Amino acid sequence: YTDKEIHGIKTEDELAMEELQAMLAADAAFSKGKGLFNQGRLQPAHEQFKIAVDSAPDQAEFKGYYGYTTFATLRNTKPEEADVGIDLIKEAIEINQGQEKKLDTLWVLLGRAYREKGETELAKKVLMRALKINAANPDAKRELSRVMGKDPKKKQKQDKKSGFFSGLFGGKK
């Protein structure tokens, strides 16, 4: 009673509740950020990922997405500062190494950043690592095909260009 009422020291239950609320807030911000990220809205996603990382700095996935959006939002305007984002992704991977569940998405984010930076050999190595963790990861496959120069979006456009008569008469595809 004295500690709580006079000295203002929080009880274990109060501390646990604050920790839980911080984690719930971080999860909510991350979920919102991931939705924005998937829509291609990187700047607002970056802001949500920052909230998530500030609330739960030891969450590897939060830090990885924050790192990637840091890189992506700065790479054209401040390329020297964009590398900080790559370092954050690497920190997230380091955190994840000590965890039971390995996150292939972190490796995909790092590979994507390297690809966008023009470092194709590093991107290939990193994306192969993602596929070793999860061979079914569609993002890793897509990014790897982009690095190898076989962008699936370009192939779909080329396939659509061949019309009825070219198929009928064996025209070029």
Side-chain angles (χ1 to χ4, degrees):
Y1 175 81
T2 305
D3 283 344
K4 183 177 180 350
E5 297 301 325
I6 295 174
H7 299 294
I9 298 173
K10 296 179 180 176
T11 65
E12 286 183 29
D13 290 343
E14 289 172 326
L15 292 172
M17 183 56 78
E18 281 182 5
E19 194 174 308
L20 176 64
Q21 288 173 339
M23 193 58 190
L24 291 174
D27 277 339
F30 180 74
S31 293
K32 187 174 182 182
K34 192 102 182 271
L36 293 164
F37 181 85
N38 290 334
Q39 294 171 5
R41 298 176 58 203
L42 297 184
Q43 186 59 48
H46 179 69
E47 294 163 10
Q48 292 300 313
F49 293 144
K50 180 169 180 15
I51 293 168
V53 167
D54 288 346
S55 297
D58 293 335
Q59 289 293 319
E61 193 170 24
F62 297 177
K63 188 173 272 198
Y65 275 91
Y66 177 63
Y68 177 77
T69 56
T70 298
F71 167 79
T73 56
L74 294 175
R75 74 184 165 126
N76 292 328
T77 56
K78 300 175 184 174
E80 64 283 346
E81 292 179 35
D83 287 340
V84 170
I86 291 176
D87 292 339
L88 287 170
I89 301 169
K90 290 178 182 177
E91 285 177 30
I93 289 171
E94 195 65 36
I95 291 169
N96 186 239
Q97 294 304 311
Q99 297 173 334
E100 188 176 327
K101 183 181 178 195
K102 303 300 179 217
L103 298 172
D104 53 316
T105 55
L106 298 175
W107 293 97
V108 172
L109 292 171
L110 185 58
R112 188 172 170 179
Y114 282 145
R115 177 185 59 79
E116 291 171 4
K117 199 173 173 189
E119 297 180 16
T120 56
E121 288 306 311
L122 273 173
K124 284 179 195 175
K125 288 179 185 177
V126 168
L127 292 166
M128 291 304 291
R129 181 72 185 261
L131 288 170
K132 282 182 183 176
I133 295 170
N134 178 6
N137 185 321
D139 294 330
K141 290 177 182 178
R142 182 188 67 245
E143 287 299 322
L144 190 58
S145 68
R146 285 180 179 168
V147 168
M148 306 290 264
K150 302 173 191 165
D151 193 340
K153 289 180 183 175
K154 288 181 184 175
K155 183 176 178 0
Q156 287 176 349
K157 286 179 185 175
Q158 288 172 347
D159 290 347
K160 287 181 183 177
K161 286 181 184 176
S162 60
F164 172 75
F165 290 107
S166 65
L168 187 63
F169 295 112
K172 292 182 182 177
K173 281 193 177 186

